[in-house]
Amino acid sequence: MNVIECRGLSKRFGRTVALHDLSFSIKENTITGLVGPNGAGKTTLLKIAAGFLRKTAGEIKVFSSPPFNNLKVSANTFFVDDNMALPATLNLSETLDAARRFYPNWDHQLALRLFDYFSLNPRQLHKNLSKGMKSTFNMIVGLSARCALTIFDEPTVGMDAAVRKDFYRALLQDYLQHPRTIIFSSHLLKEIEDILEEVLLLREGQKRLHLPADQLREYAVGLRGEEDTVKRFTAGKEIYRREQFGKNSIFAAVRNSFTKTELQEACAAGLEVLPVSAEDLCIYLTSRSRGGIDDVFNRN
Amino acid sequence: MMSLTETSLWDAVKKQYVFKLQSYANFFVSLVIVQLVALLFSAGGMAGTSGIGWNNILVEVKLYSGTGIFIFTVLCTLANSVILTLPFYRNIDFSFVGSRLSGNMANIGFLVTAGLFGGITATLGSILLRNIHYYTGGGGEILKSFFMITPGELVTGMAVAVLYLILFSAAGYFAGLVVQLHRSLLVLLPALIVGLIFYEAANEQIGIFSRLIEFFVFERSPFHFSLKIILSASLLWIGAILLSNRKEVR
């Protein structure tokens, strides 16, 4: 069963096109990473899925219903981001108690244990928390709510590296014990790729890729060496990135459609065959130019 | 697999209502503080103080009235109802389970509760004012017209105060949402209302506000009065729900 189904989804804010003709579906009980550069439409997409924003055109269904202003979707979706509005009058433990009453699947033991682990002060007010503490608290609420669809939109804002690592572990542990559909938008693909099962890559409001995470790591391959040799091997291939190294040496990242023998031949011809990490691939696939930032400096 | 939970509208409204009572308890506290301040002003004698001198005898008449407390309560209620429409407060409805309809209904429930609370405390405040004067003597003789009231009158007074507060909070809530339709309305709407009031007062014209006062204040039948208030408030609530039902949040 698909938890989210999108067909030709578009969203405009005035003249700005935030999402354009987006089609994809997200299967039940998967962790999907939503990645893409700033302004790719990640937050807009997630807010439409959570029922906060209205679509402009196309179709989106969450739990088989249109999500906008839908109580069923709201009851089964938890949306975590860094500006969750919470009453300024409640302290953290009162806020947990309040959240608990809304969600039948709420795991209060988990909430309290995480609270303790991250040494949050139950008497503190949410508005007085530091950025990282706020994110930590929101994440605890999001996990404990145990909603069938849990959306984390840039949940690690302000968290230090240690807390981020703990958070990824906590997310994975809880997901394994209580499988549910989780969407995680982040710029730190390298950090989260190990816990992701699927990656949905957006670029300028459109889908660039939607693949299982392990396929993403083998999706492209990098060849480095003498310019003519690289060109010979990459002829007819989809080139994602080309970078100049020295006078006569280049690096090219291309779609990995090589056979084993072809790659052996490339090695024999003196080329270095390099893996392209998921993070790099995503950067290559979403950058406007094939040369990246280098193009700014090489004007010839 | 995570099972899907079913939530009825009524269920969501109840949960949000309880959440609001808990989170906005400070609204009630501010209301009481405002009423105490008004009581303090009223205790000094507010309206219609006059002195008559005659044959070396000076008679000073001071009018004490609970109206001041009520007016302050109305202003506080109006402010609270507008605050509930501000984006931050609306977004709180979407941190947990809720739809636009359930959020509005919970807000209405909250404002009705605040109206009940405000109406009862304001009426009791005017009783307190009477007591202060009775026991301190107010420095003179108390002319006891309207001073003693029967329990029946007290309850009627409370009911009228509560109904007015509900009407004002509905108006404030509706106005708060109208203003958010366009930024310019933030200036235009208050200017229009204040301007109309002054225009009507200065020109002794029969306009919207004099008609409204006639419609509500001069109604003698308690049943018709209640009906008028409840129907008007309901229209404002429906208007507020329609205004916000397609709104994007967060």
Side-chain angles (χ1 to χ4, degrees), chain A residues 116-185:
Chain A
D116 212 39
Y117 179 84
F118 289 105
S119 29
L120 291 166
N121 175 2
R123 308 221 155 186
Q124 206 165 9
L125 294 177
H126 188 261
K127 60 171 182 177
N128 294 341
L129 293 175
S130 74
K131 231 177 196 178
M133 289 287 223
K134 220 176 245 177
S135 296
T136 308
F137 179 77
N138 295 351
M139 167 274 279
I140 293 174
V141 180
L143 277 183
S144 310
R146 293 262 165 83
C147 281
L149 172 61
T150 308
I151 296 174
F152 292 101
D153 185 20
E154 295 283 345
T156 56
V157 172
M159 287 184 188
D160 61 45
V163 173
R164 286 205 302 274
K165 271 189 185 153
D166 282 339
F167 168 42
Y168 304 141
R169 281 307 292 172
L171 180 71
L172 190 61
Q173 290 278 352
D174 200 54
Y175 168 73
L176 292 175
Q177 286 174 24
H178 304 275
R180 52 201 193 260
T181 312
I182 294 174
I183 305 180
F184 195 124
S185 98

Side-chain angles (χ1 to χ4, degrees), chain B residues 2 6 16 23 42 68 78-79 95 126 167 174 202-203 230 234 239:
Chain B
M2 203 61 64
E6 289 295 329
Q16 285 184 307
S23 339
S42 311
L78 268 176
S95 288
S126 76
L167 180 66
F174 179 71
N203 296 296
I230 291 169
S234 306

Side-chain angles (χ1 to χ4, degrees), chain B residues 228-243:
Chain B
K228 279 177 175 179
I229 297 252
I230 291 169
L231 283 180
S232 315
S234 306
L235 281 180
L236 290 165
W237 288 330
I238 292 169
I241 288 170
L242 291 178
L243 275 180

Side-chain angles (χ1 to χ4, degrees), chain B residues 89-222:
Chain B
Y89 282 84
R90 301 194 59 73
N91 283 346
I92 292 178
D93 289 350
F94 295 91
S95 288
F96 304 130
V97 181
S99 65
R100 284 150 192 80
L101 182 59
S102 73
N104 276 317
M105 286 170 70
N107 278 339
I108 291 167
F110 177 81
L111 288 173
V112 168
T113 311
L116 273 167
F117 179 83
I120 291 171
T121 48
T123 315
L124 291 178
S126 76
I127 302 288
L128 184 59
L129 187 64
R130 284 171 166 83
N131 274 302
I132 291 172
H133 288 299
Y134 186 81
Y135 287 109
T136 59
E141 196 70 22
I142 299 172
L143 297 171
K144 293 190 174 118
S145 58
F146 300 113
F147 188 77
M148 295 299 181
I149 52 170
T150 64
E153 284 172 330
L154 180 67
V155 171
T156 313
M158 278 182 182
V160 171
V162 167
L163 285 170
Y164 270 127
L165 288 178
I166 288 175
L167 180 66
F168 277 111
S169 67
Y173 193 66
F174 179 71
L177 286 170
V178 167
V179 161
Q180 284 171 38
L181 289 178
H182 195 270
R183 207 174 289 168
S184 62
L185 286 168
L186 186 62
V187 181
L188 286 180
L189 191 73
L192 188 74
I193 291 173
V194 173
L196 267 176
I197 290 176
F198 275 103
Y199 180 75
E200 282 181 33
N203 296 296
E204 290 176 16
Q205 287 245 351
I206 307 295
I208 301 172
F209 286 97
S210 14
R211 290 227 171 84
L212 279 178
I213 290 172
E214 206 181 290
F215 183 71
F216 291 112
V217 182
F218 295 156
E219 178 58 59
R220 284 273 155 260
S221 147

